[in-house]
Amino acid sequence: MSVIDLRSDTVTRPSPGMRRAMADAEVGDDVLDGDPTTRRLEDRVADLLGMDGALFFPSGTQANQTAVALVTEPGTELIVEAQAHVVHYELGGIALISGVQIRPVAAPDGILTASLVKGALRPASPHVPRISAVAVENTHNAAGGKVLVPAVLDGIVRVAGDAGLPLHVDGARLWNAAAALGVPPDRLTVGAASVMVSFSKGLGCPVGSCLAWRGDRRAQVWEIRKRLGGGMRQSGVLAAAALWALDHTAPRLVEDHTHARLLAERLGGRAGVRVSAPETNIVMVDLVRDGDSATAAVARLARRGVLVVPFGSRRLRAVTHLDVSRADVERAARVLAEELA
Ligand SMILES: *Cc1c(COP(=O)(O)O)cnc(C)c1O
């Protein structure tokens, strides 16, 4: 029985075409005097995102942490949605690395809005911490791949701008958001001071993210990355995979979204589960019967060759990606329906 791995869009293996591009990459020492393929990727990403520059990072976490250090000051607060990746999955890095306190704002569907951000602002006072930046996540992982649409983003940018606060966009899946909306990625970065995008999620690369910024901040970003141990040498081997993915994988992301919708449709309306319509490639399945347990369900599904992850005590997460076909999704849906409904 072949295994259908829906645990994350990070489980993809580099395709033969991507591996060839990596093998053929022109390289140099990027820390010493530059790697030409890495530079090409950084220029292309800055251009795609409408930003003034970008650097290549080994991980999204390191790029996010660099961004927070870049746009905040120690002893201040970062306004961020309460379920954000930087809050839950970066091991307190904001506190440790930037000396910054998070000011979590709960949004019912994970999507920050102008009025939520406005509500978190406080009048200046010698008694309360100053806020130094705002961060948003697009798409929002814990909210089930929800898209932060341009109109809402513009509102946040306006409120943040009025308060003099820079905005960081955690866009690990910004490519998915752009594909779902049918807009160019730079529409989703308007007004942002910094943007992180990943290549190791839906784009299917083994490694890599970029942090892009507005203004003249290359030296600062370089310094923070180097301090965190993110300077890489012949990184062109990895950047070549990302360049290949921008050409070959990004255009097919909508297929993953179609597959996610298909999975949700097959489960929708069945007793025992509740599934909301996915906007991108993440499907959240809630178990609604008393006594249901996500970990027990994950184990039952695994025995039948379908891998998903628990996301809370009665919630499962399934993520579609380029290594699952429509037939895989049909089979996974049958197994989920039989085991859960
Ligand atoms: C995966 C992810 C990250 C971190 O990326 P890594 O490369 O795994 O460190 C950051 N933000 C979001 C929203 C993510 O999904």
Side-chain angles (χ1 to χ4, degrees), residues 59-98:
S59 73
T61 299
Q62 194 181 71
N64 268 343
Q65 290 299 324
T66 298
V68 173
L70 184 76
V71 301
T72 61
E73 286 166 61
T76 66
E77 291 184 329
L78 172 73
I79 293 180
V80 59
E81 200 282 317
Q83 305 304 325
H85 194 280
V86 291
V87 176
H88 284 291
Y89 307 113
E90 302 192 11
L91 305 182
I94 290 178
L96 182 67
I97 297 165
S98 295

Side-chain angles (χ1 to χ4, degrees), residues 164-214:
L165 304 176
L167 176 75
H168 172 63
V169 177
D170 175 350
R173 296 188 179 83
L174 195 80
W175 315 114
N176 293 85
L181 292 167
V183 302
D186 64 1
R187 179 62 190 90
L188 301 176
T189 67
V190 173
S194 58
V195 184
M196 185 279 270
V197 289
S198 289
F199 305 105
S200 54
K201 299 273 166 83
L203 291 195
C205 296
V207 176
S209 291
C210 271
L211 179 65
W213 59 84
R214 220 177 284 282

